[in-house]
Amino acid sequence: VYLYEADGLKYYTQIACRNRSGKNRKGKKVTGISFLREVDDKSERSEEHHPSLTERLSETGRSVANLVATKVLGNPEALSTRRTDRMLVSTNDSRVRLYGLNDFCMIRKYKGHTNNSMQIRARVSESGSHIACGSESGHCFIWDVDPNKNRLKKNMINKQIQSTKDKSKSTDYFEASKASLPIVTDTLFFPTMTVRESLLTSKEVFPLSLGMDRIDDDFSSAAILTLDYDGTIRVFVRKTCIDNILEACTPRGGTMA
């Protein structure tokens, strides 16, 4: 991945998206780039401090990181104020890598899907909490951006999610294509507002849907659109989202009282 300065498009630096050893150490084609930004709410942070990658750098590393912050972000304090700016890179070695834009170091690597030859790109939910990616196996894979938090142990409507527990490939996945050539070429999370409005206007499905603001759910990861190699578009909705709506918006949840 090559990075250029916005002013004049001058070359600045590059990132080698490859393994350090093994058959893919020379690197594979980059198939997609997405950007991830979360709201950095310090008031919600845990009292236990976990040093960031930048804080663990050597003195030389910190000098380089500060230079990057000054040249690219225009603010030497950006290492602390923009710690949540990250870039997601998909490659043809069946890997998705997360890089920090403060120091251009890899934060985390996600695997489990198959992407050896297709132009498959991983996507990030609007809240920045989950990643979704298609696969040449006909499945849609979902990862928590931060695997240290609770994983998405949820079901899609009429679709069973299977989970792998290996630490290096902690992911949930479900079948998203039954085509003769079952390849899921793209995935996309629906925005929060789209999901909320769709559910509110589905009177035949939720005739008693009131008080949507009382529902405790991440709507940005509630619905996923997939596209397979045959050109079929499918929409999957997380079952627990429906359950939470029924719990909060029906007499069982008490909002009709």
Side-chain angles (χ1 to χ4, degrees):
V1 176
Y2 291 86
L3 294 103
Y4 296 82
E5 294 181 2
D7 184 13
L9 293 179
K10 297 179 181 179
Y11 169 81
Y12 184 75
T13 188
Q14 60 182 290
I15 301 174
C17 303
R18 58 183 177 84
N19 293 338
R20 294 183 179 179
S21 59
K23 64 179 181 179
N24 294 322
R25 63 183 180 275
K26 293 184 179 180
K28 292 289 186 177
K29 182 178 70 173
V30 172
T31 60
I33 296 176
S34 300
F35 292 92
L36 184 153
R37 176 177 296 179
E38 290 181 302
V39 177
D40 190 9
D41 188 354
K42 296 182 180 179
S43 63
E44 296 183 359
R45 289 183 182 177
S46 171
E47 295 181 359
E48 181 182 0
H49 177 66
H50 298 282
S52 67
L53 178 61
T54 302
E55 293 172 326
R56 297 196 302 268
L57 290 173
S58 63
E59 183 177 351
T60 302
R62 284 194 295 271
S63 299
V64 173
N66 276 289
L67 177 62
V68 169
T70 303
K71 292 284 290 182
V72 178
L73 302 178
N75 178 11
E77 300 298 325
L79 289 174
S80 59
T81 60
R82 298 189 63 178
R83 193 172 295 168
T84 54
D85 288 356
R86 290 167 284 181
M87 177 175 65
L88 200 65
V89 181
S90 308
T91 51
N92 269 153
D93 58 356
S94 300
R95 300 290 186 271
V96 177
R97 295 172 175 86
L98 184 66
Y99 293 90
L101 293 182
N102 293 325
D103 48 25
F104 303 109
C105 292
M106 188 175 74
I107 300 172
R108 194 167 292 114
K109 180 165 57 178
Y110 308 91
K111 57 183 181 179
H113 67 304
T114 303
N115 181 19
N116 295 320
S117 59
M118 302 298 294
Q119 196 77 16
I120 297 176
R121 171 187 176 187
R123 307 274 187 169
V124 185
S125 65
E126 187 179 52
S127 66
S129 60
H130 294 93
I131 298 169
C133 187
S135 174
E136 294 172 10
S137 64
H139 296 83
C140 175
F141 285 76
I142 306 172
W143 297 270
D144 276 335
V145 171
D146 184 357
N148 296 320
K149 297 180 181 179
N150 293 328
R151 293 173 56 236
L152 187 67
K153 296 180 180 178
K154 301 167 181 177
N155 292 332
M156 300 291 176
I157 289 183
N158 298 325
K159 298 291 176 181
Q160 182 179 2
I161 282 187
Q162 303 177 44
S163 301
T164 58
K165 298 181 179 179
D166 185 278
K167 185 176 180 181
S168 64
K169 52 189 295 186
S170 178
T171 177
D172 296 311
Y173 64 95
F174 60 93
E175 187 178 22
S177 176
K178 293 183 178 294
S180 56
L181 193 59
I183 299 175
V184 179
T185 57
D186 204 358
T187 59
L188 183 68
F189 286 103
F190 283 91
T192 298
M193 186 62 68
T194 301
V195 175
R196 290 174 65 92
E197 290 181 353
S198 298
L199 293 173
L200 280 172
T201 55
S202 301
K203 298 301 182 181
E204 295 181 0
V205 180
F206 299 108
L208 301 177
S209 59
L210 302 173
M212 289 285 286
D213 56 333
R214 302 184 183 184
I215 301 171
D216 183 16
D217 197 284
D218 180 11
F219 285 105
S220 71
S221 64
I224 296 178
L225 180 146
T226 66
L227 177 67
D228 67 15
Y229 197 72
D230 283 355
T232 303
I233 298 175
R234 295 178 174 87
V235 175
F236 298 89
V237 181
R238 179 162 37 82
K239 184 177 183 298
T240 50
C241 175
I242 306 300
D243 293 339
N244 289 337
I245 293 174
L246 292 174
E247 183 67 27
C249 302
T250 63
R252 183 176 61 178
T255 60
M256 293 291 292

